[in-house]
Amino acid sequence: MSTHAEHSGLDERFDPFSESYLSDPYEFLAEARAATPVFYSARLKYWVITRYHDIRQIFENPRLFSASNALSALKPACPATEQILADGDFSPVPTLTNVDPPAHTRVRRLANVAFKPRRVAAMEPFIRDLVVKFGEERLARGSADLIRDFAWELPALVIFRILGVPDEDVPRIKAGAESRILFMFGHPSDEEQCRLARGMAAFWRYAEELVEARAREPREDFTSDLLLARDGELPALTHPEVATIVYGLLLAGHETTTNLLGNAFRRLLSDRSAWEDLCRDSSLIPNAIEEVLRLDSSVIAWRRRTRQAIEIGGVPVPAEADLLLLLGAANRDPAVFEDPERFDIRRPKARDHISFGHGAHFCLGAPLARLEARVVFEEFTARFPTLRLTAGQTLRFSQNISFRGPLSLLAHWENKQ
């Protein structure tokens, strides 16, 4: 372990579930990154990686760093929880996020066959109509909670349209997604873990039932296309593999985008000149979104496991060690980004962030998230140029190590006469 980390007590002070860290992790992340490339957290039993180039190299080398722990429960399941999951026939199989090449290569190629760029591009009119509809129906009073009234549901309805899920299932899926985030990335009590496990089992059955329904009667949706996807001699995806992909997208396909929209509203409305610049020139919006992703990552930490004893940033790390990759620290690394704490919607290298990962596991849904954010801010800057955050509010965040965005964001504006 680095002497820097020992002297500064980083390992003892790193508590990603504390209120101070949840509300603003970036002061600690900057201190940790400056002090050491790696430190060990006895609280989490993870080796914590702080710097951009080390994390990028870890993503690039699945031969040395496995993704097998990416979706493991941070706190191991207690016996009662294991029984609940067994009774609920909870049986996802490693497919995309938590499997390594060559098995990952086959599944990703078949998923790409189904998730074609033209499918994403074809969603733009639907997304734009939905944003306008939400604006007219939910943002007519001159004030709103931008998360609960808008960003909570919109990304879910988009991914539902792609997967073939009925709109009325939004509350059910959002509840299941929250259970999964807190189970895998939180630190719940045994009692709370049991409650979350019941929600996860129900969430899994929903995905299974959707896949079985599409196997019987295919439709024009991504779930059906996954079942039908073919690429040369590659074995087709099995029903459990398709169910696991759908199960994953029913979480990652909207929660991260809800976070992106919440973080973007917060950053852009906190910087009045940036918001006004976007209102005057919508061509600045795509890069502004990349800068939000860099400065305020929707996912601030991810996980890998070493396959052998290895040095990371000059620090020896043992074989089979769990790694916590601090994407939120890497995206503000001064070795890569000039004046990294400054929010700059014109930043030349903003897109060099690693908020979507990097390498073979680069986020499948990144083009869709970027499209949704672009359309949302094109419409909002045109329709609500006087939008402002309500003063005096205290932002709250979900108690987990990875997914980060405000749970509520109050705003107001002047209605056009």
Side-chain angles (χ1 to χ4, degrees), residues 111-124:
N112 286 340
V113 167
F115 208 67
K116 300 179 181 73
R118 68 172 179 269
R119 165 170 264 133
V120 174
M123 289 298 295
E124 181 165 346

Side-chain angles (χ1 to χ4, degrees), residues 375-401:
V375 171
V376 165
F377 287 97
E378 284 174 352
E379 293 298 328
F380 266 75
T381 52
R383 295 168 182 272
F384 304 103
T386 62
L387 188 65
R388 293 180 183 276
L389 294 181
T390 301
Q393 60 185 306
T394 299
L395 301 185
R396 296 178 301 107
F397 299 85
S398 174
Q399 289 190 314
N400 76 92
I401 59 166

Side-chain angles (χ1 to χ4, degrees), residues 161-216:
R161 174 61 64 97
I162 290 172
L163 292 172
V165 173
D167 289 358
E168 59 268 22
D169 287 351
V170 166
R172 182 179 175 185
I173 299 302
K174 279 288 191 178
E178 182 182 24
S179 294
R180 195 174 177 208
I181 287 174
L182 294 176
F183 186 96
M184 293 189 302
F185 302 100
H187 207 266
S189 66
D190 288 356
E191 181 181 355
E192 180 70 359
Q193 195 180 61
C194 287
R195 183 188 70 80
L196 296 172
R198 293 186 189 95
M200 280 176 45
F203 195 26
W204 168 249
R205 287 195 297 275
Y206 183 97
E208 278 191 314
E209 289 165 5
L210 177 64
V211 170
E212 292 307 320
R214 293 300 180 270
R216 292 191 301 270

Side-chain angles (χ1 to χ4, degrees), residues 335-367:
V336 179
F337 302 101
E338 184 179 351
D339 195 5
E341 302 296 325
R342 182 168 61 90
F343 182 57
D344 179 6
I345 63 172
R346 294 177 174 82
R347 182 179 295 276
K349 296 172 62 178
R351 201 178 171 106
D352 287 353
H353 65 77
I354 49 176
S355 295
F356 290 123
H358 179 67
H361 285 86
F362 184 81
C363 176
L364 180 70

Side-chain angles (χ1 to χ4, degrees), residues 88-408:
D89 294 323
F90 183 75
S91 53
V93 295
T95 51
L96 285 171
T97 306
N98 59 342
V99 71
D100 301 309
H104 173 271
T105 308
R106 165 186 158 264
V107 177
R108 182 64 182 245
R109 279 174 59 180
L110 290 165
N112 286 340
V113 167
F115 208 67
K116 300 179 181 73
R118 68 172 179 269
R119 165 170 264 133
V120 174
M123 289 298 295
E124 181 165 346
F126 171 76
I127 295 169
R128 196 171 297 277
D129 289 346
L130 194 60
V131 173
V132 172
K133 177 172 178 279
F134 272 33
E136 293 174 348
E137 293 179 356
R138 303 182 178 198
L139 305 177
R141 302 187 310 273
S143 65
D145 184 332
L146 295 174
I147 308 302
R148 308 312 301 180
D149 295 332
F150 182 79
W152 186 80
E153 187 173 355
L154 183 125
L157 291 175
V158 173
I159 198 67
F160 284 12
R161 174 61 64 97
I162 290 172
L163 292 172
V165 173
D167 289 358
E168 59 268 22
D169 287 351
V170 166
R172 182 179 175 185
I173 299 302
K174 279 288 191 178
E178 182 182 24
S179 294
R180 195 174 177 208
I181 287 174
L182 294 176
F183 186 96
M184 293 189 302
F185 302 100
H187 207 266
S189 66
D190 288 356
E191 181 181 355
E192 180 70 359
Q193 195 180 61
C194 287
R195 183 188 70 80
L196 296 172
R198 293 186 189 95
M200 280 176 45
F203 195 26
W204 168 249
R205 287 195 297 275
Y206 183 97
E208 278 191 314
E209 289 165 5
L210 177 64
V211 170
E212 292 307 320
R214 293 300 180 270
R216 292 191 301 270
E217 187 180 336
R219 298 186 186 177
E220 290 292 323
D221 58 37
F222 180 59
T223 304
S224 301
D225 286 354
L226 282 171
L227 289 161
L228 299 170
R230 300 293 183 271
D231 188 336
E233 299 300 313
L234 289 179
L237 294 170
T238 65
H239 286 199
E241 286 175 329
V242 174
T244 302
I245 294 171
V246 169
Y247 177 66
L249 287 173
L250 284 173
L251 166 65
H254 56 91
E255 288 295 330
T256 50
T257 308
T258 291
N259 288 345
L260 168 56
L261 295 177
N263 291 334
F265 277 121
R266 178 193 178 190
R267 292 297 171 186
L268 291 166
L269 294 174
S270 296
D271 184 336
R272 200 68 211 164
S273 62
W275 180 258
E276 291 171 353
D277 284 349
L278 297 190
C279 290
R280 285 190 294 268
D281 183 1
S282 63
S283 71
L284 297 172
I285 290 173
N287 200 69
I289 292 163
E290 301 302 327
E291 177 69 344
V292 170
L293 285 162
R294 182 197 71 81
L295 189 80
D296 215 352
S297 316
S298 306
V299 177
I300 63 168
W302 208 240
R303 290 183 278 175
R304 287 294 184 266
R305 178 174 290 145
T306 58
R307 294 180 180 272
Q308 62 188 52
I310 194 168
E311 283 197 359
I312 302 174
V315 179
V317 177
E320 298 300 312
D322 286 320
L323 308 180
L324 186 67
L325 315 180
L326 296 182
L327 309 186
N331 285 336
R332 297 185 180 206
D333 192 331
V336 179
F337 302 101
E338 184 179 351
D339 195 5
E341 302 296 325
R342 182 168 61 90
F343 182 57
D344 179 6
I345 63 172
R346 294 177 174 82
R347 182 179 295 276
K349 296 172 62 178
R351 201 178 171 106
D352 287 353
H353 65 77
I354 49 176
S355 295
F356 290 123
H358 179 67
H361 285 86
F362 184 81
C363 176
L364 180 70
L368 181 62
R370 285 171 163 142
L371 171 62
E372 289 181 63
R374 174 175 63 78
V375 171
V376 165
F377 287 97
E378 284 174 352
E379 293 298 328
F380 266 75
T381 52
R383 295 168 182 272
F384 304 103
T386 62
L387 188 65
R388 293 180 183 276
L389 294 181
T390 301
Q393 60 185 306
T394 299
L395 301 185
R396 296 178 301 107
F397 299 85
S398 174
Q399 289 190 314
N400 76 92
I401 59 166
S402 291
F403 293 79
R404 186 171 190 274
L407 298 176
S408 174

